[in-house]
Amino acid sequence: MGDTLTLLGLESSCDDTAAAVVRHVPGHAPQILSSIVHGQAELHADFGGVVPEIAARAHAEKIDLCVEQALADAGLTLAQIDAIAVTAGPGLIGGVLSGVMCAKGLSAGSGKPLVGVNHLAGHALTPRLTDMAAFPYLMLLVSGGHCQLLQVNGPEDFTRLGGTIDDAPGEAFDKTARLLGLPQPGGPSVEAEARAGDPKRFRFPRPLLDRPGCDMSFSGLKTALLRTRDQVAADKGGLTRQDRADLCAGFQAAVRDVLVEKTRRALATYMEASPEAPMIAVAGGVAANQSIRAGLEEVAAAAGATFTAPPLRLCTDNAAMIAWAGLERFRAGQTDDMTLVARPRWPLDTARAGMLGGGKKGAKA
Ligand code: KG4
Ligand code: ZN
């Protein structure tokens, strides 16, 4: 089983600077000893998206402080850490470099091993950190920049079953909010409006649902929403509160139907391998959506699979997931050296990554 391991993790691939300490005693649930996340939302607010240069500078300024705070909160010094894990990609290159350079400095100064981590592996392995999930399990990763259905077979073994060919669902929620004059981030505001809406009044398309497989598309949905919004506004001379709620409800229902049906298909493929205790897990900000979550829970229940969703602070970008993914690599005897490179693109499943763009759009992963 091996020894108790304590890893420091660093994350800086998008607009959150983060450091965390995670400990694992074999046979016991992993412990998050500390987790510091320093968001940059206010720095980018005026620009309508993440500005890479601003992000990189802010990461470089804050990463040391995050590390100091994470060690202090854990009550440990660097000497008491077994290895240093760092996100080495995919992401905004300036940010990833800040983290990798910091981790290399810490490793060189302390003599502790360095472990490079794929950010997406961090998300995909989170159910093992939070629920001690056994391999293999199915993961739906849905965020502002990502949408993938993955079969997670091992710490470095992922099968991509499908994903978006254009926009990520979170991006679609954000654009919808913008089109309807609702505040950002769009997901929570659209969900709140949708509660008072009739999902059947406007019938939005369910793209790619008529095609086999698990690939998805969300870009046509926002065009449909824009057209319907303009039509209603032209007919009535403006949008009422109810119109807006009905548009949100119709949009959310379309996203839910696509995610739920494609997940049902992926679950069927995964269950052909007849795992003993089938499990489906979600991660990413969109997993916070109650309607989508309920749909996925129904799919899991109908197939006799368990459903798990990590707490939101571990669904969104954080360094505890990086420390954990690094710990899994380190336990398997994998480390890196000073030649570790920062990679802007780094698909999890290299055999299938080229398929229709790999599902990565926008800054976030
Ligand atoms: O995982 P996350 O915090 O950041 C990354 O994209 O990595 O996800 C943020 C995305 C945003 O697009 C936001 O609108 C969406 O998740 N989101 C939601 C909800 N809460 C956040 N989408 C739908 N319903 C929600 N309740
Ligand atoms: Zn992420």
Side-chain angles (χ1 to χ4, degrees), residues 143-145 170-171 173-174 185-188 191 284-286 288-289 315-317 364-365:
S143 70
E171 202 178 354
F173 269 99
D174 294 341
E191 181 175 18
V286 180
N289 187 286
C315 270
T316 54
D317 286 353
K364 280 210 163 192

Side-chain angles (χ1 to χ4, degrees), residues 167-249:
D167 291 356
E171 202 178 354
F173 269 99
D174 294 341
K175 284 180 185 163
T176 294
R178 226 167 277 139
L179 289 173
L180 297 177
L182 299 169
Q184 294 293 322
S189 24
V190 170
E191 181 175 18
E193 285 291 315
R195 275 196 203 104
D198 171 8
K200 298 209 172 74
R201 177 169 160 209
F202 302 111
R203 174 82 190 168
F204 291 113
R206 271 68 172 158
L208 299 190
L209 220 52
D210 52 340
R211 304 235 198 110
C214 301
D215 279 333
M216 298 168 245
S217 161
F218 296 101
S219 70
L221 208 46
K222 67 170 186 286
T223 318
L225 184 110
L226 175 63
R227 222 179 292 125
T228 312
R229 179 202 71 174
D230 288 349
Q231 214 163 19
V232 175
D235 290 350
K236 300 166 63 173
L239 287 186
T240 64
R241 180 90 206 259
Q242 193 57 50
D243 293 334
R244 200 170 284 130
D246 292 344
L247 285 165
C248 286

Side-chain angles (χ1 to χ4, degrees), residues 43-68:
L43 296 180
H44 304 287
D46 291 343
F47 301 96
V50 178
V51 183
E53 286 74 17
I54 295 176
R57 196 173 288 263
H59 285 306
E61 274 171 19
K62 286 283 182 309
I63 190 91
D64 297 13
L65 298 172
C66 286
V67 168
E68 266 176 32

Side-chain angles (χ1 to χ4, degrees), residues 283-308:
V286 180
N289 187 286
Q290 294 300 323
S291 166
I292 292 171
R293 200 183 266 242
L296 295 170
E297 271 174 299
E298 276 169 32
V299 165
T306 52
F307 174 85
T308 178

Side-chain angles (χ1 to χ4, degrees), residues 73-136:
D73 282 9
L76 297 173
T77 63
L78 203 50
Q80 293 167 295
I81 298 288
D82 293 300
I84 300 156
V86 62
T87 300
L92 297 173
I93 191 66
V96 180
L97 265 172
S98 302
V100 168
M101 296 309 285
C102 178
K104 282 183 178 176
L106 291 170
S107 170
S110 65
K112 302 292 178 181
L114 180 68
V115 187
V117 169
N118 182 313
H119 176 88
L120 300 174
H123 280 302
L125 295 170
T126 299
R128 291 177 54 75
L129 169 64
T130 55
D131 295 87
M132 295 173 82
F135 297 123

